[in-house]
Amino acid sequence: MSAGSQFKRYYSKEILGLPEETKCIVRGWVEDIRPLGKLMFITVRDRTGLAQIVLNRNIVGEEGFAVGENLTRQSVIEAFGKVQKSRSQNVLMEVLVEKLTVLSRSSPPFPIDPTGRVFSSLDKRLDARALDLRNPQVMAIFKIRHTVLKSIRETFYRLGFIEVNTPKIIGQAAEGGANLFKLTYFDKKAYLAQSPQLYKEQLTMSLEKVFEIAQYFRAEKSNTLRHVCEFTSLDMEAAYMDEFEVMEVAEEVVCNVLKDVEKENSEELNILRVKLPRAERPFKRISYTEAIEKLNKKRRIEWGEDLQTKDLRMLGRVFKEFYFIYHWPLAIKPFYIERLDERLSRSFDLMYGYLELASGGKRVSDRQELEKRLIEQKLDPKDFEYHLRTFNYGMPPHSGWGLGVDRLLMVITGKDNIRETILYPRDPRRLVP
Ligand code: AMO
């Protein structure tokens, strides 16, 4: 029997809608095996769901039945057969097998139960991530992630942005010296990129409006639920826009993502038992100074201090959905953010409750001012010569932001731990698999 002989591969989900007698090929991994006299019921899972296939000793013969008897859970099989109505409870249609082949035999016991019936810790699950991904609850997160990435791209294409790819091996720091992973680049020192900051700014000189979705690296020894050493960032940068205009772009991206996930992933949201967060434009905007005033009603916090997790949690109880905190003190924002006045910067963070999702702002586009800001932040302009030079070629005013895609996924999937939203997360303790 070959795939050419009128048999066609159908996904599990499609089989339920097929007429009786349809010749089909079922491919997937074995989740359950239930022998019942001369019959054997096998539950096969693929990425769309479950299918039931039935072996009948009278049809497949002794040899064929033995293939079923020797099956192990999680093995990958291929079955040729015909669709029939099922007599099992909860199963509408099943496939009566004519030929069963084991494409890859698994070797139990397994380190985790990928059906999710037996609880495993996240650490154990991540150690066996390839198997963990067979769990529909886990797979659902990455199906949603796919929609999120697609939706982001579509929004930026529609807004006339050009998608770019900047280098990840770099010779100079983009965000200052801390948190860099160092590596040897032949006979030179090099680093893994912390962000595309300087490149995306330079690209506004020519391509004007750019965006990039890529992974970045931070050597942060913080073992929190929202930090990893390799994260995916959505970065945008646009010439001739100010901080408030790019905040609107962030709103549009987030709202379209939510709309698209609602449209494409109702099944996955059901599997995860979560409701999408609400997002109404415009998002609330509060200035840093207003935030400090609000916080001061609960605890003493000096103007100029960075907001600690406990402060953000407090704000998160007041602002339950998406909101911006804008115009932060100059001293606690990076050197490339433009000055609003002596104390304030033209910066903003996009928040969801207590969680910072994105930060950005209007950038310095004047070389002398940028050098001054570098010195103020105790950085050496000489280390940034390649970047500073580009300002001599004519640098348009520009603004942009970077948004943590993994964190956005936390909000959408209702996960408290960022590691759940990353296929193979990297943190100070985890480098494999
Ligand atoms: P920032 O450092 O605030 O800004 O990063 C932007 C967003 O990226 C996410 N993020 C992280 N997510 C997980 N683990 C980490 N270790 C981590 N670090 C950052 C967060 C954060 O809000 N160049 C600027 C952006 C800009 O101004 O355009 C930057 O990198 O969601």
Side-chain angles (χ1 to χ4, degrees):
M1 241 175 275
S2 76
S5 57
Q6 300 152 315
F7 282 86
K8 189 181 152 211
R9 194 251 170 124
Y10 290 98
Y11 282 101
S12 301
K13 209 166 146 188
E14 296 172 305
I15 289 170
L16 298 177
L18 292 176
E20 283 180 87
E21 295 297 311
T22 307
K23 291 179 171 179
C24 68
I25 304 169
V26 179
R27 293 190 181 120
W29 57 93
V30 174
E31 189 160 292
D32 250 330
I33 309 158
R34 293 184 311 282
L36 202 75
K38 66 180 176 64
L39 299 179
M40 184 176 301
F41 295 92
I42 303 168
T43 313
V44 181
R45 191 178 280 283
D46 60 25
R47 70 175 198 196
T48 69
L50 291 173
Q52 176 159 288
I53 65 171
V54 192
L55 286 186
N56 181 327
R57 203 186 282 269
N58 296 342
I59 295 174
V60 291
E62 284 309 315
E63 219 176 293
F65 206 73
V67 175
E69 284 171 327
N70 291 322
L71 262 185
T72 47
R73 288 204 171 91
Q74 302 303 325
S75 289
V76 177
I77 59 106
E78 176 179 73
F80 287 75
K82 288 198 191 111
V83 175
Q84 65 179 21
K85 282 206 177 96
S86 173
R87 288 199 208 151
S88 311
Q89 261 186 340
N90 307 327
V91 184
L92 220 54
M93 305 302 271
E94 63 191 12
V95 174
L96 183 63
V97 177
E98 292 170 18
K99 184 173 168 29
L100 174 68
T101 312
V102 178
L103 299 178
S104 169
R105 193 182 156 78
S106 66
S107 314
F110 306 112
I112 57 165
D113 171 18
T115 67
R117 280 175 226 147
V118 181
F119 173 83
S120 300
S121 69
L122 180 59
D123 250 353
K124 269 196 155 177
R125 285 175 37 218
L126 290 175
D127 283 342
R129 191 58 148 168
L131 184 58
D132 185 43
L133 282 157
R134 282 188 170 171
N135 180 334
Q137 293 230 3
V138 179
M139 208 189 286
I141 299 171
F142 294 95
K143 287 183 179 170
I144 292 174
R145 192 172 164 116
H146 164 79
T147 306
V148 169
L149 294 171
K150 182 163 160 257
S151 169
I152 290 169
R153 289 201 160 90
E154 280 166 1
T155 299
F156 277 109
Y157 297 152
R158 206 165 43 239
L159 294 174
F161 281 71
I162 289 179
E163 185 166 5
V164 296
N165 307 102
T166 60
K168 304 298 165 249
I169 302 177
I170 55 167
Q172 56 183 162
E175 302 277 338
N179 308 337
L180 280 164
F181 280 110
K182 296 187 186 67
L183 58 105
T184 309
Y185 191 72
F186 305 106
D187 56 347
K188 294 196 182 68
K189 248 200 281 173
Y191 310 98
L192 292 179
Q194 301 153 301
S195 87
Q197 187 61 37
L198 308 185
Y199 295 105
K200 66 176 180 170
E201 287 195 50
Q202 292 177 19
L203 292 173
T204 64
M205 288 176 54
S206 49
L207 301 173
E208 296 194 17
K209 300 202 288 185
V210 296
F211 81 100
E212 177 169 16
I213 303 175
Q215 274 131 290
Y216 296 96
F217 309 91
R218 307 244 171 131
E220 287 165 344
K221 277 240 165 94
S222 42
N223 279 306
T224 77
L225 296 181
R226 58 183 198 280
H227 288 94
V228 278
C229 296
E230 178 176 359
F231 68 101
T232 300
S233 178
L234 159 62
D235 277 90
M236 62 79 67
E237 202 66 31
Y240 316 112
M241 281 193 178
D242 66 19
E243 68 273 36
F244 293 107
E245 287 169 307
V246 294
M247 279 157 80
E248 283 178 31
V249 175
E251 280 177 344
E252 177 150 359
V253 167
V254 169
C255 289
N256 287 344
V257 160
L258 294 177
K259 249 186 262 157
D260 289 336
V261 170
E262 185 175 28
K263 200 164 70 197
E264 312 261 328
N265 296 107
S266 55
E267 196 180 321
E268 285 72 30
L269 293 169
N270 266 338
I271 290 177
L272 291 169
R273 292 189 215 98
V274 288
K275 269 214 180 90
L276 279 176
R278 280 189 335 156
E280 266 172 47
R281 294 183 71 180
F283 296 169
K284 281 212 175 65
R285 287 154 165 70
I286 61 158
S287 69
Y288 166 86
T289 306
E290 286 165 339
I292 291 292
E293 281 162 12
K294 269 208 183 338
L295 289 168
N296 256 325
K297 290 185 186 140
K298 301 259 179 205
R299 82 168 188 106
R300 180 117 197 92
I301 172 169
E302 294 294 328
W303 194 98
E305 278 179 43
D306 205 352
L307 303 185
Q308 308 297 318
T309 308
K310 61 176 180 231
D311 303 317
L312 296 173
R313 285 199 186 277
M314 224 180 263
L315 285 178
R317 283 195 282 276
V318 182
F319 304 100
K320 293 208 168 59
E321 288 150 16
F322 296 95
Y323 63 101
F324 290 103
I325 307 176
Y326 67 96
H327 292 173
W328 293 70
L330 202 56
I332 56 172
K333 281 291 173 186
F335 63 89
Y336 46 78
I337 296 279
E338 195 164 270
R339 193 185 294 278
L340 179 70
D341 58 29
E342 274 317 298
R343 301 196 310 161
L344 290 169
S345 67
R346 299 184 68 165
S347 57
F348 62 84
D349 284 1
L350 170 64
M351 310 291 302
Y352 181 81
Y354 81 98
L355 191 64
E356 177 200 311
L357 290 180
S359 65
K362 185 161 194 296
R363 322 299 192 180
V364 179
S365 52
D366 172 77
R367 178 175 176 151
Q368 269 77 43
E369 170 68 8
L370 194 57
E371 285 186 27
K372 207 168 124 195
R373 298 269 290 120
L374 279 166
I375 293 164
E376 270 171 21
Q377 303 227 343
K378 310 218 166 12
L379 293 164
D380 187 350
K382 273 202 240 85
D383 293 340
F384 291 83
E385 182 48 35
Y386 277 104
H387 181 56
L388 290 167
R389 199 177 284 174
T390 63
F391 287 61
N392 300 346
Y393 312 147
M395 179 64 81
H398 57 279
S399 302
W401 44 258
L403 177 146
V405 173
D406 318 302
R407 288 194 185 173
L408 181 59
L409 258 295
M410 287 170 73
V411 170
I412 294 174
T413 60
K415 295 289 170 198
D416 293 332
N417 194 330
I418 193 167
R419 291 158 187 78
E420 296 270 10
T421 71
I422 300 171
L423 282 173
Y424 296 95
R426 298 284 177 256
D427 65 27
R429 288 182 301 128
R430 182 173 287 282
L431 188 58
V432 290

